[in-house]
PDB file of all heavy atoms in Angstrom:
ATOM      1  N   GLY A   6      -1.783  17.226   2.530  1.00  0.00           N
ATOM      2  CA  GLY A   6      -2.503  15.904   2.503  1.00  0.00           C
ATOM      3  C   GLY A   6      -1.682  14.918   1.799  1.00  0.00           C
ATOM      4  O   GLY A   6      -0.898  15.248   1.003  1.00  0.00           O
ATOM      5  N   LEU A   7      -2.029  13.658   2.195  1.00  0.00           N
ATOM      6  CA  LEU A   7      -1.365  12.533   1.523  1.00  0.00           C
ATOM      7  C   LEU A   7      -2.378  11.584   0.897  1.00  0.00           C
ATOM      8  O   LEU A   7      -3.446  11.452   1.477  1.00  0.00           O
ATOM      9  CB  LEU A   7      -0.519  11.784   2.544  1.00  0.00           C
ATOM     10  CG  LEU A   7       0.619  12.554   3.247  1.00  0.00           C
ATOM     11  CD1 LEU A   7       1.326  11.682   4.324  1.00  0.00           C
ATOM     12  CD2 LEU A   7       1.636  13.057   2.234  1.00  0.00           C
ATOM     13  N   ILE A   8      -2.047  10.987  -0.227  1.00  0.00           N
ATOM     14  CA  ILE A   8      -2.988  10.011  -0.786  1.00  0.00           C
ATOM     15  C   ILE A   8      -2.134   8.759  -1.074  1.00  0.00           C
ATOM     16  O   ILE A   8      -1.032   8.803  -1.465  1.00  0.00           O
ATOM     17  CB  ILE A   8      -3.576  10.636  -2.135  1.00  0.00           C
ATOM     18  CG1 ILE A   8      -4.644   9.646  -2.683  1.00  0.00           C
ATOM     19  CG2 ILE A   8      -2.475  10.910  -3.086  1.00  0.00           C
ATOM     20  CD1 ILE A   8      -5.535  10.195  -3.820  1.00  0.00           C
ATOM     21  N   GLY A   9      -2.765   7.656  -0.762  1.00  0.00           N
ATOM     22  CA  GLY A   9      -2.075   6.392  -1.074  1.00  0.00           C
ATOM     23  C   GLY A   9      -3.093   5.292  -1.507  1.00  0.00           C
ATOM     24  O   GLY A   9      -4.185   5.261  -1.073  1.00  0.00           O
ATOM     25  N   HIS A  10      -2.518   4.401  -2.291  1.00  0.00           N
ATOM     26  CA  HIS A  10      -3.377   3.309  -2.787  1.00  0.00           C
ATOM     27  C   HIS A  10      -2.836   1.982  -2.323  1.00  0.00           C
ATOM     28  O   HIS A  10      -1.647   1.681  -2.311  1.00  0.00           O
ATOM     29  CB  HIS A  10      -3.333   3.366  -4.358  1.00  0.00           C
ATOM     30  CG  HIS A  10      -4.042   2.160  -4.991  1.00  0.00           C
ATOM     31  ND1 HIS A  10      -3.432   1.088  -5.292  1.00  0.00           N
ATOM     32  CD2 HIS A  10      -5.427   2.085  -5.259  1.00  0.00           C
ATOM     33  CE1 HIS A  10      -4.445   0.255  -5.843  1.00  0.00           C
ATOM     34  NE2 HIS A  10      -5.659   0.923  -5.825  1.00  0.00           N
ATOM     35  N   SER A  11      -3.734   1.161  -1.859  1.00  0.00           N
ATOM     36  CA  SER A  11      -3.394  -0.249  -1.424  1.00  0.00           C
ATOM     37  C   SER A  11      -2.528  -0.077  -0.213  1.00  0.00           C
ATOM     38  O   SER A  11      -2.723   0.605   0.765  1.00  0.00           O
ATOM     39  CB  SER A  11      -2.796  -0.994  -2.525  1.00  0.00           C
ATOM     40  OG  SER A  11      -2.755  -2.426  -2.135  1.00  0.00           O
ATOM     41  N   GLU A  12      -1.300  -0.733  -0.291  1.00  0.00           N
ATOM     42  CA  GLU A  12      -0.296  -0.644   0.751  1.00  0.00           C
ATOM     43  C   GLU A  12       0.170   0.767   1.105  1.00  0.00           C
ATOM     44  O   GLU A  12       0.640   1.151   2.053  1.00  0.00           O
ATOM     45  CB  GLU A  12       0.859  -1.595   0.548  1.00  0.00           C
ATOM     46  CG  GLU A  12       0.425  -3.135   0.655  1.00  0.00           C
ATOM     47  CD  GLU A  12       1.524  -3.953   0.160  1.00  0.00           C
ATOM     48  OE1 GLU A  12       2.620  -3.624  -0.204  1.00  0.00           O
ATOM     49  OE2 GLU A  12       1.202  -5.256   0.112  1.00  0.00           O
ATOM     50  N   GLY A  13       0.109   1.609  -0.099  1.00  0.00           N
ATOM     51  CA  GLY A  13       0.460   3.016   0.133  1.00  0.00           C
ATOM     52  C   GLY A  13      -0.440   3.742   1.119  1.00  0.00           C
ATOM     53  O   GLY A  13      -0.061   4.729   1.796  1.00  0.00           O
ATOM     54  N   GLY A  14      -1.675   3.175   1.288  1.00  0.00           N
ATOM     55  CA  GLY A  14      -2.588   3.756   2.324  1.00  0.00           C
ATOM     56  C   GLY A  14      -2.018   3.527   3.645  1.00  0.00           C
ATOM     57  O   GLY A  14      -2.233   4.385   4.658  1.00  0.00           O
ATOM     58  N   GLU A  15      -1.379   2.413   3.894  1.00  0.00           N
ATOM     59  CA  GLU A  15      -0.745   2.112   5.263  1.00  0.00           C
ATOM     60  C   GLU A  15       0.422   3.037   5.423  1.00  0.00           C
ATOM     61  O   GLU A  15       0.600   3.656   6.544  1.00  0.00           O
ATOM     62  CB  GLU A  15      -0.409   0.708   5.378  1.00  0.00           C
ATOM     63  CG  GLU A  15       0.120   0.371   6.820  1.00  0.00           C
ATOM     64  CD  GLU A  15       0.236  -1.205   6.970  1.00  0.00           C
ATOM     65  OE1 GLU A  15      -0.266  -2.002   6.158  1.00  0.00           O
ATOM     66  OE2 GLU A  15       0.856  -1.533   7.921  1.00  0.00           O
ATOM     67  N   GLY A  16       1.153   3.303   4.394  1.00  0.00           N
ATOM     68  CA  GLY A  16       2.379   4.146   4.407  1.00  0.00           C
ATOM     69  C   GLY A  16       1.976   5.624   4.784  1.00  0.00           C
ATOM     70  O   GLY A  16       2.702   6.242   5.631  1.00  0.00           O
ATOM     71  N   ILE A  17       0.923   6.156   4.169  1.00  0.00           N
ATOM     72  CA  ILE A  17       0.492   7.451   4.487  1.00  0.00           C
ATOM     73  C   ILE A  17      -0.026   7.657   5.863  1.00  0.00           C
ATOM     74  O   ILE A  17       0.259   8.639   6.583  1.00  0.00           O
ATOM     75  CB  ILE A  17      -0.513   8.043   3.518  1.00  0.00           C
ATOM     76  CG1 ILE A  17      -1.809   7.301   3.375  1.00  0.00           C
ATOM     77  CG2 ILE A  17       0.089   8.096   2.063  1.00  0.00           C
ATOM     78  CD1 ILE A  17      -2.887   7.957   2.675  1.00  0.00           C
ATOM     79  N   ALA A  18      -0.701   6.595   6.353  1.00  0.00           N
ATOM     80  CA  ALA A  18      -1.219   6.614   7.780  1.00  0.00           C
ATOM     81  C   ALA A  18      -0.010   6.762   8.774  1.00  0.00           C
ATOM     82  O   ALA A  18      -0.003   7.502   9.712  1.00  0.00           O
ATOM     83  CB  ALA A  18      -2.024   5.407   8.082  1.00  0.00           C
ATOM     84  N   ILE A  19       1.110   5.954   8.578  1.00  0.00           N
ATOM     85  CA  ILE A  19       2.282   6.007   9.289  1.00  0.00           C
ATOM     86  C   ILE A  19       2.919   7.371   9.224  1.00  0.00           C
ATOM     87  O   ILE A  19       3.338   8.040  10.237  1.00  0.00           O
ATOM     88  CB  ILE A  19       3.266   4.936   8.908  1.00  0.00           C
ATOM     89  CG1 ILE A  19       2.728   3.559   9.207  1.00  0.00           C
ATOM     90  CG2 ILE A  19       4.618   5.130   9.551  1.00  0.00           C
ATOM     91  CD1 ILE A  19       3.480   2.345   8.585  1.00  0.00           C
ATOM     92  N   ALA A  20       3.048   7.872   7.943  1.00  0.00           N
ATOM     93  CA  ALA A  20       3.681   9.177   7.831  1.00  0.00           C
ATOM     94  C   ALA A  20       2.866  10.375   8.511  1.00  0.00           C
ATOM     95  O   ALA A  20       3.402  11.190   9.131  1.00  0.00           O
ATOM     96  CB  ALA A  20       3.926   9.515   6.355  1.00  0.00           C
ATOM     97  N   ALA A  21       1.551  10.308   8.337  1.00  0.00           N
ATOM     98  CA  ALA A  21       0.716  11.240   9.002  1.00  0.00           C
ATOM     99  C   ALA A  21       0.826  11.201  10.522  1.00  0.00           C
ATOM    100  O   ALA A  21       0.685  12.278  11.159  1.00  0.00           O
ATOM    101  CB  ALA A  21      -0.726  11.103   8.532  1.00  0.00           C
ATOM    102  N   ALA A  22       0.860  10.007  11.055  1.00  0.00           N
ATOM    103  CA  ALA A  22       1.035   9.896  12.534  1.00  0.00           C
ATOM    104  C   ALA A  22       2.361  10.488  13.008  1.00  0.00           C
ATOM    105  O   ALA A  22       2.394  10.933  14.099  1.00  0.00           O
ATOM    106  CB  ALA A  22       0.904   8.468  12.818  1.00  0.00           C
ATOM    107  N   LYS A  23       3.326  10.676  12.230  1.00  0.00           N
ATOM    108  CA  LYS A  23       4.674  11.075  12.651  1.00  0.00           C
ATOM    109  C   LYS A  23       4.843  12.520  12.308  1.00  0.00           C
ATOM    110  O   LYS A  23       5.889  13.106  12.624  1.00  0.00           O
ATOM    111  CB  LYS A  23       5.771  10.280  11.956  1.00  0.00           C
ATOM    112  CG  LYS A  23       5.746   8.833  12.440  1.00  0.00           C
ATOM    113  CD  LYS A  23       6.918   8.092  11.825  1.00  0.00           C
ATOM    114  CE  LYS A  23       7.064   6.626  12.448  1.00  0.00           C
ATOM    115  NZ  LYS A  23       8.162   5.999  12.140  1.00  0.00           N
ATOM    116  N   SER A  24       3.914  13.189  11.630  1.00  0.00           N
ATOM    117  CA  SER A  24       4.068  14.614  11.298  1.00  0.00           C
ATOM    118  C   SER A  24       2.826  15.431  11.553  1.00  0.00           C
ATOM    119  O   SER A  24       1.737  15.026  11.069  1.00  0.00           O
ATOM    120  CB  SER A  24       4.439  14.709   9.824  1.00  0.00           C
ATOM    121  OG  SER A  24       4.451  16.090   9.392  1.00  0.00           O
ATOM    122  N   SER A  25       2.915  16.425  12.254  1.00  0.00           N
ATOM    123  CA  SER A  25       1.810  17.384  12.624  1.00  0.00           C
ATOM    124  C   SER A  25       1.453  18.274  11.360  1.00  0.00           C
ATOM    125  O   SER A  25       0.472  18.909  11.428  1.00  0.00           O
ATOM    126  CB  SER A  25       2.135  18.151  13.837  1.00  0.00           C
ATOM    127  OG  SER A  25       3.284  19.056  13.633  1.00  0.00           O
ATOM    128  N   ASP A  26       2.421  18.268  10.396  1.00  0.00           N
ATOM    129  CA  ASP A  26       2.152  19.074   9.301  1.00  0.00           C
ATOM    130  C   ASP A  26       1.132  18.465   8.261  1.00  0.00           C
ATOM    131  O   ASP A  26       0.432  19.178   7.573  1.00  0.00           O
ATOM    132  CB  ASP A  26       3.443  19.259   8.346  1.00  0.00           C
ATOM    133  CG  ASP A  26       4.443  20.031   9.153  1.00  0.00           C
ATOM    134  OD1 ASP A  26       4.154  20.983   9.878  1.00  0.00           O
ATOM    135  OD2 ASP A  26       5.681  19.836   8.933  1.00  0.00           O
ATOM    136  N   VAL A  27       0.900  17.111   8.387  1.00  0.00           N
ATOM    137  CA  VAL A  27      -0.101  16.469   7.458  1.00  0.00           C
ATOM    138  C   VAL A  27      -1.464  16.687   8.202  1.00  0.00           C
ATOM    139  O   VAL A  27      -1.724  16.319   9.310  1.00  0.00           O
ATOM    140  CB  VAL A  27       0.211  15.024   7.447  1.00  0.00           C
ATOM    141  CG1 VAL A  27      -0.894  14.295   6.507  1.00  0.00           C
ATOM    142  CG2 VAL A  27       1.559  14.801   6.826  1.00  0.00           C
ATOM    143  N   LYS A  28      -2.361  17.337   7.416  1.00  0.00           N
ATOM    144  CA  LYS A  28      -3.740  17.687   7.846  1.00  0.00           C
ATOM    145  C   LYS A  28      -4.724  16.667   7.499  1.00  0.00           C
ATOM    146  O   LYS A  28      -5.862  16.649   8.082  1.00  0.00           O
ATOM    147  CB  LYS A  28      -4.131  19.065   7.273  1.00  0.00           C
ATOM    148  CG  LYS A  28      -3.111  20.182   7.659  1.00  0.00           C
ATOM    149  CD  LYS A  28      -2.950  20.348   9.192  1.00  0.00           C
ATOM    150  CE  LYS A  28      -1.949  21.379   9.540  1.00  0.00           C
ATOM    151  NZ  LYS A  28      -1.445  21.316  10.843  1.00  0.00           N
ATOM    152  N   PHE A  29      -4.549  15.940   6.443  1.00  0.00           N
ATOM    153  CA  PHE A  29      -5.576  14.918   5.971  1.00  0.00           C
ATOM    154  C   PHE A  29      -4.892  13.831   5.189  1.00  0.00           C
ATOM    155  O   PHE A  29      -3.698  13.992   4.664  1.00  0.00           O
ATOM    156  CB  PHE A  29      -6.712  15.553   5.212  1.00  0.00           C
ATOM    157  CG  PHE A  29      -6.318  16.148   3.914  1.00  0.00           C
ATOM    158  CD1 PHE A  29      -6.462  15.225   2.816  1.00  0.00           C
ATOM    159  CD2 PHE A  29      -5.827  17.395   3.800  1.00  0.00           C
ATOM    160  CE1 PHE A  29      -6.032  15.874   1.471  1.00  0.00           C
ATOM    161  CE2 PHE A  29      -5.525  18.000   2.586  1.00  0.00           C
ATOM    162  CZ  PHE A  29      -5.665  17.147   1.572  1.00  0.00           C
TER     163      PHE A  29
END
């Protein structure tokens, strides 16, 4: 899983969309 704060929230959404390994 990934956690992000503020603009980091946008970064984790992009990273999760590009990786099937990220589950939440």
Side-chain angles (χ1 to χ4, degrees):
L7 301 174
I8 187 169
H10 178 264
S11 188
E12 291 171 3
E15 190 167 342
I17 62 168
I19 293 168
K23 292 183 177 188
S24 174
S25 60
D26 293 331
V27 178
K28 303 301 180 199
F29 65 93

